[in-house]
Amino acid sequence: ALADIKRRKNTEASARFRVKKKEKMEQLEQNMTQLQQRAESLEKEAGDLRRENGWLKEMVIMKRGKGSSTSQGRP
């Protein structure tokens, strides 16, 4: 009888452990998905900012090129 009680308690503990492990895995997968989406969003934003930076640099270069003859070399 004592062995049966121990076995039953062990079985119940194992079942609780499996449930908790499954819940933890599901939470980790959800976190991973959210982080992947955030990374994609940040990559897109970084690309947009790089593009904007390039346009602004071109504008500065063009402005310097046009203004250099009238400003006598001053930026």
Side-chain angles (χ1 to χ4, degrees):
L2 187 58
D4 290 339
I5 292 171
K6 280 186 164 184
R7 192 177 312 115
R8 183 172 41 84
K9 285 185 177 185
N10 189 319
T11 301
E12 291 170 357
S14 294
R16 285 192 305 273
F17 174 79
R18 285 191 299 273
V19 168
K20 283 185 178 182
K21 184 178 178 181
K22 182 179 178 185
E23 288 173 352
K24 185 175 181 179
M25 285 300 295
E26 288 171 352
Q27 183 63 44
L28 288 172
E29 288 173 356
Q30 186 179 13
N31 289 349
M32 184 179 67
T33 300
Q34 290 173 348
L35 289 171
Q36 286 173 331
Q37 291 171 347
R38 180 74 174 132
E40 288 174 15
S41 174
L42 290 171
E43 287 289 344
K44 182 186 180 309
E45 184 179 354
D48 292 344
L49 290 171
R50 280 192 286 272
R51 223 174 353 269
E52 182 180 356
N53 190 32
W55 295 331
L56 292 172
K57 282 181 180 179
E58 287 180 26
M59 289 174 62
V60 167
I61 290 169
M62 287 172 48
K63 196 167 193 174
R64 283 184 180 166
K66 287 182 180 179
S68 65
S69 60
T70 59
S71 66
Q72 299 172 353
R74 291 186 305 230

